[in-house]
């Protein structure tokens, strides 16, 4: 491990450790467990259902950027890539994306282009959800709608840059995959992925907590924006909670203890659900392999 990565790892450990220590001191894990116990089984299954739907939508989105069309394999790609990105530092989980596609015989140019396109639209989709939520909160509905429609067009900066790449495989990919209709679908599916995921977060919050769907969407979008930071906590612990709780505290004047309890609850739900889907996918594919 080089010096830069070691420094990043140390900072990540410090962030996570500091958060856990401060969380216990000022809020308490006992209070978190009391909050957790207030979640009904019905609530959890509804939340998990929407979280699972977000995976299905994300899986379907790959079909617009890859020639690989077998849904089960694309779902495996989604689950593995998401899980490893959550638990591994420095975005090294992205390696799983290229590894799985290489095993399926996908050319490195196609996998790289697919990766770049989906990651750019992840960013644009998240920006769109955040901008729409924030501007609506501020009372600028017209501006919110305009931003939602205009944000995806920034992707054409990437298309402009690609014109300078003369590689035949890249040119062929651009002609085949970067049509306007294709890009529109990818953008809308990216937005839908975030909406479904954030809806899951809304349903996992105990009904006794007075928080609206709109507040959850904005808080979740803010929290997800922290994932693009160059340095964040181990598995996002500390930075994710700060983004989620911070928006609830500063935008909606929600009690800081409640805000941080909800942020930790949502993040725990993400870690648990992504791990559950990862284990399920491993078992499912091992079962398929044993039948063949």
């Amino acid at each position: 491990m080089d010096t830069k990565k070691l420094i990043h790892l140390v900072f990540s450990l410090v962030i996570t450790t500091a958060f856990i220590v401060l969380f216990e001191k000022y809020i308490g894990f006992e209070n978190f467990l009391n909050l957790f116990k207030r979640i009904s089984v019905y609530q959890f299954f509804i939340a998990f259902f929407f979280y699972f739907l977000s995976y299905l939508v994300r899986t379907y989105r790959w079909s617009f950027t890859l020639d690989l069309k077998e849904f089960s394999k694309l779902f495996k790609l989604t689950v593995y890539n998401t899980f490893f990105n959550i638990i591994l530092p420095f975005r090294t989980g992205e390696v799983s994306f290229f590894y799985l596609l290489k095993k399926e015989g996908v050319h490195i140019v196609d996998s790289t282009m697919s990766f770049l396109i989906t990651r750019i639209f992840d960013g644009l989709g998240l920006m769109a959800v955040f901008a729409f939520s924030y501007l609506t909160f501020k009372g600028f509905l017209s501006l919110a709608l305009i931003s939602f429609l205009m944000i995806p067009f920034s992707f054409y900066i990437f298309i402009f840059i690609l014109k300078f790449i003369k590689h035949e495989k890249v040119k062929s990919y651009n002609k085949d995959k970067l049509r306007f209709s294709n890009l529109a679908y990818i953008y809308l599916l990216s937005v839908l992925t975030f909406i479904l995921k954030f809806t899951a977060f809304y349903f996992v919050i105990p009904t006794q907590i007075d928080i609206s769907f709109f507040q959850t969407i904005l808080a979740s979008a803010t929290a997800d924006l922290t994932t693009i930071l160059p340095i964040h906590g181990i598995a996002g612990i500390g930075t994710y909670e700060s983004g989620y709780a911070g928006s609830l505290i500063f935008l909606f004047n929600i009690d800081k203890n409640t805000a941080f309890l909800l942020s930790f609850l949502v993040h725990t739900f993400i870690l648990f659900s992504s791990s559950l889907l990862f284990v399920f996918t491993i078992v499912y594919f091992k079962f398929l392999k044993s039948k063949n």
Side-chain angles (χ1 to χ4, degrees):
M1 183 181 293
D2 60 38
T3 304
K4 186 177 179 181
K5 286 186 177 180
L6 181 60
I7 293 172
H8 280 195
L9 180 59
V10 171
F11 269 106
S12 296
L13 286 169
V14 169
I15 291 169
T16 298
T17 303
F19 172 79
I20 291 173
V21 171
L22 293 173
F23 187 88
E24 171 58 26
K25 182 177 180 179
Y26 293 104
I27 299 172
F29 284 100
E30 184 178 345
N31 289 326
F32 172 74
L33 289 175
N34 290 332
L35 177 70
F36 187 80
K37 290 175 183 177
R38 293 159 70 179
I39 304 171
S40 68
V41 175
Y42 173 76
Q43 263 186 281
F44 174 80
F45 277 110
I46 292 295
F48 185 78
F49 172 73
F50 277 101
Y51 192 73
F52 179 67
L53 282 181
S54 74
Y55 271 66
L56 295 182
V57 172
R58 182 165 292 185
T59 299
Y60 178 58
R61 187 182 61 169
W62 290 122
S63 66
F64 291 92
T65 63
L66 291 167
D67 288 329
L68 181 65
K69 302 301 181 184
E70 192 172 335
F71 194 83
S72 61
K73 291 181 178 179
L74 292 176
F75 184 76
K76 179 181 179 180
L77 176 69
T78 301
V79 172
Y80 278 43
N81 183 235
T82 302
F83 177 77
F84 286 122
N85 263 336
I86 290 174
I87 65 168
L88 295 178
F90 321 123
R91 306 294 293 186
T92 50
E94 301 290 17
V95 174
S96 64
F97 175 84
F98 296 97
Y99 173 75
L100 290 172
L101 288 181
K102 184 179 180 181
K103 288 182 66 176
E104 296 300 328
V106 177
H107 195 279
I108 186 63
V109 170
D110 290 339
S111 59
T112 301
M113 290 297 294
S114 175
F115 173 80
L116 291 173
I117 291 167
T118 52
R119 286 297 171 261
I120 291 172
F121 272 105
D122 276 339
L124 296 178
L126 182 57
M127 285 174 57
V129 173
F130 176 80
F132 185 87
S133 301
Y134 182 75
L135 291 171
T136 302
F137 166 69
K138 288 294 185 179
F140 304 118
L141 182 58
S142 297
L143 190 57
L145 291 170
I146 291 172
S147 68
F148 181 81
L149 294 174
M150 295 304 296
I151 282 175
F153 285 96
S154 59
F155 182 79
Y156 280 92
I157 297 173
F158 178 67
I159 293 179
F160 175 75
I161 295 172
L162 288 177
K163 290 182 178 180
F164 294 95
I165 301 176
K166 302 302 181 182
H167 194 287
E168 287 301 319
K169 192 74 175 172
V170 174
K171 290 166 66 175
S172 175
Y173 184 96
N174 295 349
K175 184 179 180 180
D176 184 41
K177 295 291 192 297
L178 300 188
R179 303 185 306 274
F180 178 82
S181 59
N182 232 36
L183 297 177
Y185 276 120
I186 295 170
Y187 174 65
L188 292 174
L189 289 170
S190 300
V191 171
L192 181 58
T193 297
F194 286 113
I195 292 174
L196 289 170
K197 185 170 76 166
F198 298 161
T199 300
F201 301 165
Y202 172 73
F203 279 107
V204 83
I205 295 172
T207 54
Q208 299 91 336
I209 303 295
D210 184 20
I211 183 170
S212 69
F213 178 72
F214 173 77
Q215 289 171 324
T216 304
I217 292 291
L218 186 52
S220 301
T222 306
D224 262 38
L225 283 172
T226 65
T227 61
I228 66 174
L229 294 173
I231 299 177
H232 44 75
I234 302 298
I237 297 173
T239 43
Y240 191 91
E241 285 81 359
S242 298
Y244 191 100
S247 62
L248 292 180
I249 295 168
F250 294 110
L251 293 178
F252 304 111
N253 295 315
I254 289 178
D255 173 72
K256 64 179 180 64
N257 283 10
T258 301
F260 274 102
L261 281 170
L262 293 181
S263 69
F264 194 59
L265 174 65
V266 165
H267 199 181
T268 302
F269 173 77
I270 294 172
L271 296 175
F272 176 80
S273 298
S274 58
S275 299
L276 186 63
L277 286 169
F278 178 70
V279 171
F280 168 80
T281 304
I282 290 176
V283 173
Y284 175 74
F285 275 91
K286 281 190 175 182
F287 173 74
L288 286 183
K289 190 174 181 180
S290 68
K291 288 185 67 177
N292 295 333

